[in-house]
Amino acid sequence: MKLQVALDRLTEEECLLVLNEIGDLAEWIEVGTGVIKQYGMAIVTRIKKDWPDAVLVADMKTCDAGKSESSQAFLAGADVTTVMAFADDRTITEALRIAGQQGKQVMIDLLGVVDVQRIDRLYELGARLFSVHRGKDMQEQSGQAAADVPFMEHLRALPDARFSYAGGVNEHTIARLLPYRPDVLIVGGAITGATDRRAAAQRIRGEMTG
């Protein structure tokens, strides 16, 4: 299980400060959608240059133009780009094709998906990396966490499929996720918003080992 730190709703200076404090504790680094919108692809390039050994995720949340947006992310230095599961099938296949040509990966963001049939279709199209994502605005809704369980169970049963989990992950919520064995845990504010970021990241890594 890998730790992915999500850099979102932060300034460029804050992103770099967070990485200087805890970057060595995270195998995957995510440049969040909001950060990309504010600073463009240049911040993706800068972080990849400073942290070349990390798997760098550009959270593009592509909904259309799969070929051009994926190419843009990979050219900037991303190892992984994200595409929304509700995007048109051609958007998905074009992103996967570009990733395959460049030895990169596409993470399919399942935000907004309501049944596993869409997951099966995405799998048929060639997707193998998924993100079970409880969005920021969804995290306060009662019962939402339980609704993620069928997705995780389904993904774990698919041959060669891998998945991350994002949304409200902290040292207190990890225990409920461990039985489903997500390949990557995505943690944002529980680390980036902590008073002592390094201590928070270390506690989370400790909980990840069960």
Side-chain angles (χ1 to χ4, degrees), residues 173-195:
T173 60
I174 288 174
R176 78 168 183 85
L177 299 170
L178 293 180
Y180 308 103
R181 306 190 314 280
D183 299 277
V184 181
L185 280 182
I186 303 176
V187 184
I191 291 175
T192 62
T195 301

Side-chain angles (χ1 to χ4, degrees), residues 10-71:
L10 301 170
T11 66
E12 181 174 8
E13 182 179 358
E14 288 169 337
C15 289
L16 299 176
L17 178 61
V18 168
L19 291 179
N20 284 335
E21 293 178 359
I22 61 89
D24 61 308
L25 298 175
E27 294 92 352
W28 291 39
I29 296 171
E30 172 191 327
V31 184
T33 313
V35 173
I36 291 173
K37 285 182 177 181
Q38 183 166 358
Y39 298 105
M41 304 311 298
I43 191 169
V44 176
T45 302
R46 178 170 183 178
I47 290 175
K48 186 60 179 179
K49 179 180 178 181
D50 291 346
W51 297 91
D53 296 330
V55 175
L56 185 60
V57 181
D59 191 15
M60 301 288 281
K61 287 190 172 66
T62 294
C63 302
D64 191 22
K67 176 182 176 180
S68 61
E69 290 202 3
S70 297
S71 297

